[in-house]
Amino acid sequence: MAAAALGQTVNGRVTSLRRSAGSYGPVWRGSVTYSSPRGKHTITGHVAPDVEVGQDFLVRYLPGNPEVTVMSEGVVMLIVKTIGVIAVTAILIAIALAVALG
């Protein structure tokens, strides 16, 4: 959480991808290499299925401790997906109410 609130954002580069089976379907994990004034670092975490090796990827790190990082696009994807689920649920409830009252 501290890295997300106080961090420095830089462009990293996706260096590897791995697909595995998750509880609800396939899960993609990627490694992203990025640079800070203290050198090069690598973070691994969940990524969207459309991410490709060599692609730029936003990383946020703590300037005083560049190993504390957040893969920024992962957070954005989580927010977008959450909003999407809420919107679809609201539409389905509206349809069910219309059918029940109609």
Side-chain angles (χ1 to χ4, degrees), residues 5-98:
L6 305 171
Q8 173 70 40
T9 302
V10 295
N11 274 326
R13 181 141 339 244
V14 178
T15 55
S16 68
L17 293 171
R18 182 174 52 103
R19 181 179 181 227
S20 60
S23 300
Y24 300 102
V27 175
W28 289 92
R29 292 184 58 80
S31 292
V32 177
T33 300
Y34 63 98
S35 296
S36 77
R38 294 188 178 187
K40 286 196 173 202
H41 312 277
T42 301
I43 181 175
T44 301
H46 293 281
V47 296
D50 60 345
V51 171
E52 297 178 4
V53 171
Q55 175 179 332
D56 285 345
F57 202 96
L58 291 178
V59 174
R60 185 174 286 244
Y61 68 90
L62 287 178
N65 188 0
E67 290 77 26
V68 177
T69 58
V70 174
M71 294 173 67
S72 296
E73 290 183 0
V75 173
V76 171
M77 285 297 295
L78 178 61
I79 292 169
V80 169
K81 288 179 180 181
T82 301
I83 291 170
V85 167
I86 291 169
V88 168
T89 302
I91 291 168
L92 291 173
I93 289 170
I95 291 170
L97 284 173

